[in-house]
Amino acid sequence: MKIGIDKIGFYAPHLYVDMNKLAVARNVEPEKFTIGIGQEKMAVPPITQDAVTLAANAALEIIDEDDKEKIDFVIFGTESGIDHSKSSAVYVHQLLGLKPNARAVEVKQACYGATAGLQMAKGHIALNPDSKVLVLGADIARYGLNTSGEATQGAGAVAMVISADPKIMALEENNVYYTNDIMDFWRPIYSDQAFVDGKFSNEQYIAFFNKVWGQYKEMTGHALEDFEAICYHLPYTKMGLKALRTVLEEAPENVQDRLKENYQISTMYNRNVGNIYTGSLYLSLLSLLERKEDLASGSRIGMFSYGSGAVGEFFTGVLQPNYREHLHLASHESLFASRKEVSVEEYEEIFENTLPKDGANIELDIEQDPAPICLAGVNDHMRQYVNKNN
Ligand code: HMG
């Protein structure tokens, strides 16, 4: 039985800051951000968007009545959770009107959470082939103003329906995963901003990739030639390229060219959104699928997932016949086209405008936010979500 991605949706907040302008404001050459880091625009989440609303908005565009009937498991990968006890998945379950006979849990392991969710979903479908699983990956990447991580922030979500006989990508066997306890990036529970050892995190990302790729080759006998493209977790778009370059020489020149070209296509969305942590790998996959028009069905795509702390995984999928008919290209084009630029000063103001930390009530103006699902405030320590479509 084939199991894999049946549908894939995406959402990013409607505001962004231009990286050239951020560079000027930070006294940095713009090319450092646009070439050295590889980012053009960075999504800026208004106070009315959090991990729950981002994920719910991403799911809203793909879920239909049949999905609502069949989804019996919601797995929410995030490191921007809003509660230490109640999972974000329960809120999304309610906001989407899914059936009550369902499981709903949150999964955390930095940027690896959604991959854990995807693989758990695969196991669930193997045991329950008639059901579907909703896998969500949503995050707000915050390092702080004027920090070296600032240029690698972002916000957004990816939602995937996982099922038997998937319409987009069938997941293959032979995953290789690897865990090692390291401190490259972490966020203690008292902090709303990440701590990071930037250079070390880059090194570890590459070391994890080399380890799982090496083991994958040994296990399967596959080589780079067997891949049409490899998608990477993209904290910033230069990062995956650094990892890809460490193995490119294993392949003949024509394969190197193909992988490099497809890598660039797989970074197009991420370059304009920034790091969305656990959804980033899947945003890269979406970018490849939607922006490379002649990507043939039957192509094998490699996927490298990395979540600091750290867990890495290499796995693969095969594109299904007519997969392009099941993408939401037009709606993503309009999402990007309708975004509004904010100045660096406005971005800083939005960044500092956080929910009260003392548990005070707050009412938020959701009319300024075009998203269908918004955070309308906090009342008695309970976040108040609104689906404007209801
Ligand atoms: P930095 O110190 O500001 O930058 O930190 P740099 O000095 O290393 O420069 C960056 C690149 O720009 C370099 O290229 C420079 O040469 C180049 P490289 O040598 O690396 O190829 N550069 C220029 N290029 C063109 N024209 C110029 C110019 N000037 C310089 N004029 C760093 C960069 C990424 C470390 C920082 O932003 C950071 O700490 N970010 C957060 C951590 C991160 O993203 N780590 C990635 C791996 S870990 C991961 O992926 C997990 C994560 O997503 C979290 C999770 O799992 O939850 C982060």
Side-chain angles (χ1 to χ4, degrees):
M1 177 175 58
K2 286 184 186 175
I3 302 173
I5 302 171
D6 191 53
K7 294 183 175 180
I8 179 165
F10 155 65
Y11 185 77
H14 71 293
L15 304 175
Y16 72 87
V17 68
D18 185 310
M19 296 304 283
N20 291 285
K21 294 179 187 164
L22 184 62
V24 171
R26 298 291 178 258
N27 233 352
V28 164
E29 281 182 36
E31 292 75 18
K32 173 172 176 186
F33 287 176
T34 56
I35 299 169
I37 299 282
Q39 294 301 129
E40 294 287 337
K41 291 174 181 167
M42 186 167 85
V44 175
I47 193 166
T48 45
Q49 290 295 312
D50 63 13
V52 168
T53 60
L54 291 169
N57 283 313
L60 205 56
E61 70 168 3
I62 57 169
I63 299 289
D64 62 19
E65 290 308 312
D66 183 62
D67 298 323
K68 285 186 188 174
E69 193 42 50
K70 293 199 173 129
I71 289 171
D72 63 358
F73 200 179
V74 183
I75 309 177
F76 194 141
T78 186
E79 52 183 299
S80 316
I82 56 151
D83 194 294
H84 291 311
S85 296
K86 181 169 173 172
S87 84
S88 304
V90 172
Y91 292 96
V92 176
H93 173 274
Q94 191 276 333
L95 284 162
L96 298 176
L98 301 182
K99 67 175 179 184
N101 292 115
R103 293 172 173 148
V105 295
E106 188 170 306
V107 173
K108 177 180 68 186
Q109 178 26 59
C111 299
Y112 176 73
T115 299
L118 179 66
Q119 302 304 336
M120 285 158 74
K122 187 179 164 201
H124 181 82
I125 299 298
L127 292 171
N128 306 276
D130 294 331
S131 80
K132 294 184 178 184
V133 182
L134 178 62
V135 175
L136 305 159
D139 276 303
I140 296 176
R142 281 171 74 86
Y143 292 92
L145 304 177
N146 280 299
T147 61
S148 71
E150 184 180 27
T152 63
Q153 298 177 141
V158 172
M160 294 178 281
V161 173
I162 309 306
S163 72
D165 301 321
K167 294 188 196 72
I168 295 178
M169 186 163 108
L171 296 169
E172 295 189 293
E173 304 304 323
N174 298 320
N175 298 26
V176 178
Y177 24 83
Y178 181 75
T179 294
N180 191 18
D181 180 2
I182 56 169
M183 294 305 281
D184 61 331
F185 165 106
W186 66 103
R187 184 164 70 83
I189 50 177
Y190 50 78
S191 174
D192 72 351
Q193 293 171 26
F195 291 73
V196 64
D197 184 341
K199 299 277 175 261
F200 182 56
S201 73
N202 289 356
E203 282 163 25
Q204 289 300 310
Y205 175 112
I206 293 173
F208 272 59
F209 171 65
N210 289 332
K211 186 159 278 284
V212 292
W213 169 245
Q215 287 181 8
Y216 174 83
K217 279 188 302 182
E218 249 177 63
M219 189 163 81
T220 59
H222 285 159
L224 288 177
E225 287 88 317
D226 297 303
F227 290 87
E228 192 59 31
I230 299 180
C231 293
Y232 288 83
H233 162 56
L234 294 178
Y236 54 96
T237 68
K238 180 82 167 288
M239 185 70 248
L241 185 60
K242 287 182 196 227
L244 178 64
R245 279 179 180 155
T246 64
V247 298
L248 264 184
E249 283 186 1
E250 295 171 10
E253 217 161 291
N254 63 324
V255 175
Q256 292 191 23
D257 291 346
R258 181 177 79 214
L259 292 174
K260 279 191 286 192
E261 188 194 320
N262 288 342
Y263 176 79
Q264 290 307 335
I265 298 171
S266 78
T267 64
M268 284 169 75
Y269 286 174
N270 306 68
R271 180 176 282 277
N272 287 290
V273 174
N275 195 355
I276 61 168
Y277 288 158
T278 193
S280 291
L281 168 62
Y282 302 95
L283 182 57
S284 168
L285 174 66
L286 191 64
S287 184
L288 177 75
L289 300 184
E290 292 191 344
R291 306 317 315 183
K292 183 161 171 80
E293 283 171 25
D294 59 349
L295 188 61
S297 51
S299 299
R300 175 178 290 121
I301 311 294
M303 306 277 286
F304 174 60
S305 181
Y306 178 79
S308 285
V311 180
E313 179 157 345
F314 187 81
F315 63 100
T316 63
V318 174
L319 299 180
Q320 297 303 288
N322 306 318
Y323 73 90
R324 279 194 77 76
E325 288 169 17
H326 305 284
L327 300 172
H328 291 75
L329 181 58
S331 101
H332 298 147
E333 272 172 353
S334 105
L335 186 151
F336 279 113
S338 62
R339 290 196 304 170
K340 183 172 158 259
E341 182 180 347
V342 292
S343 66
V344 173
E345 292 72 30
E346 287 167 321
Y347 143 69
E348 289 175 346
E349 228 172 84
I350 296 167
F351 187 92
E352 305 279 22
N353 183 25
T354 53
L355 293 173
K357 293 196 170 60
D358 61 358
N361 289 349
I362 185 170
E363 205 173 309
L364 302 172
D365 178 7
I366 59 170
E367 293 313 312
Q368 303 300 316
D369 185 340
I373 296 177
C374 294
L375 174 65
V378 182
N379 199 3
D380 272 345
H381 308 281
M382 292 178 272
R383 292 195 186 209
Q384 308 296 312
Y385 292 108
V386 171
N387 183 344
K388 295 176 190 166
N389 293 341
N390 289 342

